[in-house]
Amino acid sequence: MFAFITSRILQAIPVLLVVGFIAFALFAYVGDPVTIMLGQDYTAAQREELVRALGLDQPFIVQYAKFVWAAVHGNFGLSYRLARPVSQLILERLPATIELAVTAAALALLVGVPMGVYTGIRRNSPTSRLFMVFSLIGVSLPTFLIGILLILFFAVLLGWLPSFGRGDVVHLSHWTTGLLTVSGLKALILPAITLGMFQMTLIMRLVRSEMLEVLRSDYIKFARARGLSERSINFGHALKNTLVPVITIVGLQLGGLVAFSIVTETVFQWPGMGLLLVQSIGVADIPVMSAYLLLVAVLFVAINLIVDLLYYAVDPRLRLDRRSMTGGK
Amino acid sequence: MPLLEVQNLTVEFPTRRGVLRALDGISFDINAGEVLGVVGESGAGKSLTGAAIIGLLEPPGRVAGGQILLNGSRIDNLSRDKLRPIRGKQIGAIFQDPLTTLNPLYSVGRQLVETIQTHLKLSDRDARERAVQWLEEVGIPAARQRIDAYPHEFSGGMRQRVVIALALCAEPRLVIADEPTTALDVSIQAQIIALLRGLTRDHGTSVMLVTHDMGVIAETADRVAVMYAGRIAEIGPVRDVVKHPAHPYTEGLMGSIPSLEHRVERLRQIDGAMPRLTAIPRGCAFNPRCPKVFDRCRNDRPELMEAGVTRAACWLYARGAAHV
Ligand SMILES: Nc1ncnc2c1ncn2[C@@H]1O[C@H](COP(=O)(O)OP(=O)(O)OP(=O)(O)O)[C@@H](O)[C@H]1O
Ligand code: SF4
Ligand SMILES: [Mg+2]
């Protein structure tokens, strides 16, 4: 088990180095940081001084090594736009994005999986048909449109929920949370639905089609022939067998939630990393952009690792090598 | 009173081009402790008969007529909730392919314990103990150590033994075994059949044994039903059906078998093919292929009638008809 995790982490290192290289190339060659930082008027001496201060006069490979070294230590330099350490900016914005993404993911799973199971079992009931129509809307409407429609109904027309911002937040040392105030929770509802909608309907459709497949299998027929309860068959034997493909997609989708959060955060002016990124792209704030890129890469690597571990937990066939050595045939 | 009575069972599939009648008036009994063999060409309706009895017809297939009685009470019209305690506890089932009939994600012990506890009020410990006993009874070596192993850790033959344990662990009165050895290696088929026969004899369980192997039927069954195109062509004690088949179709199946001592090989091919469900001829379904066909066969459908020791659906045995 430990060896498995270690090997997966080692495998992830080249991936991160490649992404790091792209982030670095962005850093070094897109736009001219010196011009951006100095503004319109500067002397040649000022320029040279800044170039040396930023280390831009050193050989390429040295610059890259320095970049990696700094990145490993959480140091991504200063934001051009705000002239503050990028790591500090990101840490400030991270809680908002994480709370939004986790809420959206929970919503997508807690609603999507039961709906998928239900529509898989009661294929032809009116409720199932309703869910399917609903899911079609969720899959096909673009995120920003869902957000705008939700704002239109619940914020503008009904006035029940705020249309932007994060509400009141509470500071817990380094973490700011909106989960502890009423206005924070209210502000979270619409963005979380907007962000989770696509994933929710995708999960529902996936679980449904996997359920249909599994329910036709011989082992389900045999479980029925043994008189097991419907609950045990549907939620035990069948659902568990749908998990392996579902975990794969869901894992990737949850990573995608962070990427999608850019749109949602823009629509709702949610003060998270997505909004930070959009603001940074506008003024070519390269250090923020490359740090964001690396962070997302690390996130995907972590999710992949978790997905692999979940496979391992769900499917005994993957544990074959370990068991058969001790089991004895 | 027989343990199981199937009376005039009819199974239909509604399709876009009309209703397909896949089983057409099947009637037979199985007595307590008896082994009824069921043979017939592919598509004759053997599996459907088993599925109808245990209430596992796949929609849109449905019982369109007749009745099924277990211990004298009807089970074909029960709700799902009323049928559930019968499945596994009164009627067990063994399927063809042990590679696909076990849930790959649950250990065999868990599957056994769940089945046992569904039907018997046993504590976790007692149920597990019972599961170990069953694994021992079906001949899994080192059962106590292997109980937490997963299906993929067993060979095909061992898995079918586990399937047999699962089918019998709530001690059903009847077990329906649909080609239990077809998917297995030839070298272990006989062992599995012997195991099934031994266990059911010990527990007094009746068996409906579907197979293509006449040798297996001859060795294990008490009576045999020969199916053709969704109907029973002939039914009777196995020796008589094999030695002195009455129905021309059975005769063709048995070929020129000299005696029971010679192992009978797979069903012999008869000229022509069994009709599709959409094109079952009027009268006797076998008439286009029958060497002894006569006028009446093409117009009237023969029901099962006395034909010496066995019963055959053939006009040759109509009272007053000249025996050919
Ligand atoms: N879902 C279905 N729709 C239409 N016809 C079906 C369906 N399932 C089975 N049938 C028909 O019912 C008939 C009997 O099938 P069954 O599976 O009982 O045959 P069998 O005797 O068990 O054959 P085999 O030896 O191949 O297992 C076949 O002609 C088949 O085409
Ligand atoms: S009824 Fe006629 S056609 Fe059918 S088996 Fe008997 S003789 Fe042959
Ligand atoms: Mg069959």
Side-chain angles (χ1 to χ4, degrees), chain A residues 260-315:
Chain A
F260 275 109
S261 77
I262 296 171
V263 176
T264 306
E265 288 184 8
T266 309
V267 172
F268 287 91
Q269 288 298 298
W270 186 263
M273 293 195 313
L275 197 58
L276 176 69
L277 180 73
V278 172
Q279 289 160 349
S280 304
I281 290 175
V283 296
D285 194 346
I286 304 295
V288 175
M289 288 159 66
S290 57
Y292 182 88
L293 195 62
L294 269 176
L295 205 68
V296 170
V298 170
L299 183 77
F300 270 90
V301 166
I303 286 176
N304 265 327
L305 181 67
I306 293 172
V307 165
D308 284 343
L309 289 176
L310 284 177
Y311 280 167
Y312 203 81
V314 167
D315 195 336

Side-chain angles (χ1 to χ4, degrees), chain B:
Chain B
M1 179 173 60
L3 175 67
L4 180 85
E5 297 163 76
V6 176
Q7 297 169 354
N8 216 12
L9 176 67
T10 300
V11 167
E12 292 179 342
F13 289 93
T15 68
R16 234 172 285 134
R17 269 168 287 129
V19 175
L20 286 184
R21 184 163 288 191
L23 293 184
D24 192 355
I26 301 272
S27 300
F28 64 90
D29 296 342
I30 300 181
N31 294 311
E34 185 182 46
V35 178
L36 176 75
V38 178
V39 293
E41 279 168 77
S42 194
K46 308 180 292 293
S47 299
L48 281 184
T49 307
I53 292 169
I54 199 161
L56 280 178
L57 282 177
E58 286 190 34
R62 59 188 184 91
V63 174
Q67 40 184 319
I68 302 167
L69 297 95
L70 186 73
N71 286 321
S73 43
R74 280 184 73 167
I75 57 169
D76 57 288
N77 54 358
L78 294 183
S79 69
R80 257 205 316 212
D81 287 335
K82 293 240 170 66
L83 198 54
R84 197 173 306 125
I86 292 176
R87 292 183 186 151
K89 180 95 182 89
Q90 302 287 329
I91 307 177
I94 298 170
F95 294 149
Q96 183 169 338
D97 189 352
L99 300 187
T100 58
T101 39
L102 294 171
N103 186 339
L105 303 187
Y106 286 163
S107 70
V108 299
R110 177 166 176 183
Q111 300 187 47
L112 271 165
V113 167
E114 185 181 10
T115 310
I116 291 168
Q117 286 188 322
T118 299
H119 297 293
L120 309 171
K121 291 224 174 311
L122 288 181
S123 70
D124 291 355
R125 247 181 91 198
D126 292 348
R128 194 177 156 88
E129 201 47 42
R130 183 73 64 92
V132 172
Q133 283 167 14
W134 270 105
L135 288 180
E136 280 165 355
E137 225 175 315
V138 296
I140 303 284
R144 198 169 292 277
Q145 287 83 52
R146 304 274 278 153
I147 186 165
D148 292 316
Y150 289 89
H152 69 266
E153 297 172 75
F154 293 87
S155 67
M158 285 294 153
R159 282 193 224 188
Q160 195 65 312
R161 288 171 190 264
V162 173
V163 169
I164 291 173
L166 278 164
L168 298 181
C169 66
E171 311 233 0
R173 311 288 314 281
L174 167 71
V175 57
I176 297 170
D178 191 351
E179 307 196 34
T181 58
T182 308
L184 298 178
D185 206 89
V186 184
S187 59
I188 50 176
Q189 290 185 353
Q191 292 171 25
I192 295 293
I193 290 291
L195 172 74
L196 182 63
R197 187 64 197 113
L199 281 176
T200 51
R201 189 178 286 137
D202 294 348
H203 292 264
T205 316
S206 307
V207 184
M208 177 176 150
L209 178 62
V210 175
T211 173
H212 283 118
D213 191 335
M214 278 309 297
V216 165
I217 296 280
E219 282 164 22
T220 51
D222 301 308
R223 286 189 304 137
V224 59
V226 179
M227 290 190 64
Y228 186 82
R231 303 168 188 183
I232 290 183
E234 181 166 5
I235 183 167
V238 72
R239 282 186 77 85
D240 300 282
V241 173
V242 172
K243 261 190 167 170
H244 311 290
H247 195 285
Y249 176 64
T250 322
E251 227 175 303
L253 277 184
M254 301 308 157
S256 50
I257 298 159
S259 76
L260 262 184
E261 277 67 49
H262 290 75
R263 217 178 121 86
V264 183
E265 284 309 317
R266 293 222 144 214
L267 301 188
R268 206 193 70 156
Q269 216 49 51
I270 306 166
D271 289 344
M274 198 172 68
R276 274 174 300 142
L277 293 181
T278 46
I280 293 180
R282 235 159 73 89
C284 173
F286 187 55
N287 80 62
R289 297 168 81 186
C290 181
K292 297 178 181 168
V293 58
F294 57 107
D295 278 351
R296 190 174 186 183
C297 311
R298 298 193 183 90
N299 296 313
D300 303 337
R301 176 179 161 180
E303 297 301 329
L304 283 175
M305 47 194 112
E306 303 297 331
V309 187
T310 73
R311 283 150 53 78
C314 172
W315 286 125
L316 293 173
Y317 304 96
R319 222 165 306 164
H323 201 294
V324 185

